[in-house]
Amino acid sequence: MVGRKEEKKYLLSLIDEEEPQFIAVFGRRRIGKTYLVRESFGHKFTFQHTGISNNQIEPGARKIAQLNKFAESLKDAGYKGADKLETWNDAFNALKEVIKESDQEKKIIFIDELSWMDTKDSGLISALESFWNGWVTARSEKDIILIVCASATYWMIQNIVNAKGGLHNRLTGQIHLKPFTLHECEEYMESKKIIFNRHQILQCYMIMGGVPYYWSLLKKGKSLPQNIDDLFFKEGAPLANEYENLYSALFNKPGQYLKIVEALSTVNKGITRDEISNITGIASSGDLTRKLAELENCGFIRKYVPFGYKQKNCLYQLIDNYTLFYYKFLRDNVQNENYWKEQSNTPVVRTWSGIAFERVCFEHIAQIKAALGIAGVYTEINSWQCSKDEEKGILGSQIDLLIVRKDQVINVCEMKYSETDYVVDAKFDKDQKRKISDFIKKTGTKYAIHPTLITTYGVEENAYSGEIQAIITAEALFA
């Protein structure tokens, strides 16, 4: 298994615990949650079950469909009772019988896609509460490991992790599975014996992010443009319809979520909640708050408060690499199986590359801090912007990445994608000095300001490059 070393170690440690264990595993779709659990335990479970997607099931038939599927899993586990289940209490009572009949020293119960099982008025959560509180923890045998999993991250956080009812504080552990880093993607490519150099891996990450499933579709013997055309642009490409599948798998009614994402795709730097409401036509209410939180918890967007501003001034920004790629190249693309090979050095791709590289940098802040030698220093990661103010001599600026350090230094970071060593010219130098001047005047900071450049290869030395205090290359992002 590539990566996930700490997660696997933790899961295996549960076997030695002397009390029953209740673990939640969550993270966005295609991130490898099921693979992690199954591989960690060698596919050996007392009982395992995966909920079924409700998208193709009529609303009134969903509960029965989920219960029927659960009954099939019970049969697979050796249950010899009734074929039909009427309620989730019936289902968990049947699961008790499977556990009682098992002679395994540890009874590992794995329930995947739990959120899909929680249909309207299903009673699933109350039945799960009763199963855990009233039976598992009451047994003299402390031999059960219950692992529940779902891609609907917000649902898991609301109903399991931060549950307010009978499951409040009942979890004994949780794993929020994150995307692969560049380093882990490189390891994965090596394991598949696919030869890409680091710049090509970076480009691939800019398109697909660190989603293991997407990387699993790459084929050896093909260049990066060939692979991208095969995955996205040729007839029958496996990821051509991933956009619709991705959001519909997470949200029962994805329409308004897609409106929010589309609104955010039009603005690189992020927009306010009110702007989202105006663009989408979704009322600025608690429902919009919930939808934004769900998209944030699933890793599609980020919410941030610009440096020096208050919470009410927070901005929302689309950060999912695949979704950004979709809106730029896939949504309106006329099918062309050689599209990426033909587009690879066009202005539209160069513009997108700069934006996508910024996203990759935001996903590798720990590596950037390590390259700066401040891995152990407390920092706040932020962005900042200000409007023109002639009275104060402020020209108006935006800084995409600020690293505000406890040691009284602020790294003002510029992120520049380049196919060669980056050339710091007079325009870059002027823009950087203007931003720093505006920042100091507007915030009144007394911290030392370190101009910092994050770029792909390095910097060509010239009269302007010496002004930069720290230069970080893409190599550092692979640490």
Side-chain angles (χ1 to χ4, degrees):
M1 186 190 301
V2 172
R4 315 307 195 200
K5 294 179 179 63
E6 289 303 313
E7 292 88 350
K8 181 179 179 180
K9 181 180 177 182
Y10 171 70
L11 287 173
L12 291 177
S13 74
L14 301 175
I15 295 172
D16 297 323
E17 294 292 337
E18 295 181 357
E19 294 294 325
Q21 299 294 306
F22 184 7
I23 309 299
V25 180
F26 53 98
R28 62 160 286 168
R29 176 174 157 85
R30 311 290 206 185
I31 210 68
K33 303 177 297 297
T34 303
Y35 182 82
L36 168 68
V37 176
R38 287 178 176 168
E39 290 296 313
S40 294
F41 294 109
H43 294 252
K44 296 178 181 177
F45 301 100
T46 303
F47 173 79
Q48 63 174 318
H49 171 72
T50 301
I52 53 177
S53 174
N54 291 302
N55 291 327
Q56 305 303 319
I57 308 170
E58 289 296 322
R62 288 173 179 173
K63 178 180 176 181
I64 294 301
Q66 297 289 351
L67 284 166
N68 288 343
K69 188 65 177 178
F70 198 88
E72 290 179 18
S73 297
L74 287 167
K75 292 294 182 185
D76 291 341
Y79 180 63
K80 296 180 174 57
D83 292 330
K84 292 285 185 180
L85 300 170
E86 299 294 333
T87 67
W88 283 111
N89 280 322
D90 293 341
F92 282 102
N93 284 335
L95 178 56
K96 295 175 190 177
E97 297 304 315
V98 171
I99 293 170
K100 290 175 186 176
E101 291 295 319
S102 172
D103 58 3
Q104 294 173 323
E105 186 174 350
K106 284 286 184 178
K107 281 71 171 176
I108 304 174
I109 312 301
F110 178 35
I111 302 178
D112 200 3
E113 297 299 358
L114 183 69
S115 62
W116 288 347
M117 297 159 58
D118 187 28
T119 55
K120 185 178 180 181
D121 300 323
S122 66
L124 172 71
I125 296 300
S126 61
L128 179 60
E129 291 173 2
S130 177
F131 171 73
W132 181 259
N133 295 332
W135 190 75
V136 173
T137 58
R139 298 172 75 235
S140 58
E141 304 92 338
K142 308 296 183 182
D143 56 357
I144 292 178
I145 299 172
L146 172 61
I147 302 171
V148 296
C149 184
S151 298
T153 303
Y154 186 84
W155 184 94
M156 285 287 283
I157 291 172
Q158 289 290 99
N159 293 279
I160 304 297
V161 178
N162 294 332
K164 294 180 171 61
L167 291 180
H168 178 65
N169 280 342
R170 292 299 187 267
L171 281 184
T172 57
Q174 59 182 278
I175 296 174
H176 187 177
L177 203 59
K178 300 296 181 66
F180 276 172
T181 62
L182 280 166
H183 173 73
E184 289 168 327
C185 287
E186 184 177 46
E187 280 190 340
Y188 186 67
M189 296 290 277
E190 291 172 355
S191 74
K192 292 192 68 179
K193 296 182 169 46
I194 297 176
I195 299 175
F196 283 2
N197 63 32
R198 282 189 163 179
H199 190 77
Q200 291 162 339
I201 293 173
L202 172 63
Q203 290 176 311
C204 196
Y205 201 98
M206 287 157 56
I207 295 169
M208 305 195 299
V211 180
Y213 173 73
Y214 300 163
W215 289 78
S216 74
L217 300 175
L218 296 168
K219 302 298 182 186
K220 65 180 180 181
K222 294 189 174 185
S223 68
L224 176 61
Q226 285 176 314
N227 266 295
I228 297 307
D229 280 331
D230 286 352
L231 292 181
F232 295 98
F233 297 105
K234 71 182 293 187
E235 185 177 355
L239 294 179
N241 298 317
E242 173 66 6
Y243 180 77
E244 290 79 7
N245 296 334
L246 179 61
Y247 289 90
S248 63
L250 293 174
F251 310 114
N252 288 331
K253 296 179 179 178
Q256 291 193 329
Y257 298 92
L258 296 178
K259 283 185 178 181
I260 294 169
V261 169
E262 183 173 3
L264 293 174
S265 74
T266 63
V267 184
N268 178 34
K269 308 303 181 185
I271 55 180
T272 66
R273 172 199 169 92
D274 287 342
E275 288 171 323
I276 293 171
S277 178
N278 291 335
I279 294 169
T280 62
I282 301 172
S284 183
S285 63
D287 186 53
L288 177 58
T289 300
R290 180 177 61 82
K291 285 180 168 60
L292 289 169
E294 288 183 72
L295 287 166
E296 183 181 9
N297 283 318
C298 288
F300 295 119
I301 69 175
R302 78 172 178 124
K303 172 185 174 183
Y304 69 95
V305 180
F307 183 86
Y309 287 78
K310 295 181 180 180
Q311 185 70 28
K312 66 180 181 180
N313 303 112
C314 69
L315 298 177
Y316 294 89
Q317 183 182 40
L318 179 62
I319 58 171
D320 181 62
N321 305 61
Y322 167 78
T323 303
L324 287 159
F325 184 76
Y326 168 84
Y327 275 104
K328 195 67 176 179
F329 300 107
L330 289 171
R331 182 179 62 167
D332 302 319
N333 178 57
V334 176
Q335 194 172 69
N336 174 3
E337 63 181 25
N338 296 310
Y339 180 83
W340 200 245
K341 290 190 284 289
E342 296 170 356
Q343 292 289 317
S344 58
N345 198 33
T346 59
V348 67
V349 170
R350 287 196 293 271
T351 300
W352 162 81
S353 295
I355 297 169
F357 180 65
E358 288 181 9
R359 299 296 193 275
V360 176
C361 291
F362 272 107
E363 292 173 286
H364 291 78
I365 295 297
Q367 289 79 5
I368 292 170
K369 286 181 60 177
L372 290 170
I374 57 168
V377 177
Y378 175 78
T379 60
E380 292 182 0
I381 307 302
N382 223 310
S383 300
W384 178 82
Q385 58 187 358
C386 71
S387 302
K388 186 176 181 178
D389 187 336
E390 292 183 359
E391 288 186 8
K392 295 182 179 179
I394 294 173
L395 300 176
S397 298
Q398 176 153 336
I399 300 171
D400 295 326
L401 177 58
L402 286 173
I403 302 177
V404 184
R405 299 158 42 172
K406 190 72 172 178
D407 57 1
Q408 298 193 343
V409 171
I410 298 176
N411 291 93
V412 175
C413 300
E414 287 288 334
M415 296 164 280
K416 297 294 183 181
Y417 178 85
S418 177
E419 296 285 345
T420 59
D421 284 351
Y422 186 76
V423 178
V424 180
D425 57 15
K427 181 180 182 303
F428 178 96
D429 184 65
K430 182 180 178 180
D431 288 346
Q432 184 81 325
K433 287 177 177 175
R434 184 197 78 242
K435 290 178 181 182
I436 291 173
S437 174
D438 281 355
F439 181 74
I440 292 172
K441 289 176 182 177
K442 186 70 174 179
T443 66
T445 183
K446 298 297 188 288
Y447 282 21
I449 305 298
H450 285 195
T452 303
L453 176 61
I454 307 169
T455 187
T456 39
Y457 284 109
V459 171
E460 185 178 301
E461 291 189 16
N462 59 23
Y464 300 105
S465 62
E467 297 291 325
I468 300 172
Q469 291 291 304
I471 298 170
I472 298 170
T473 68
E475 286 288 315
L477 303 183
F478 282 82

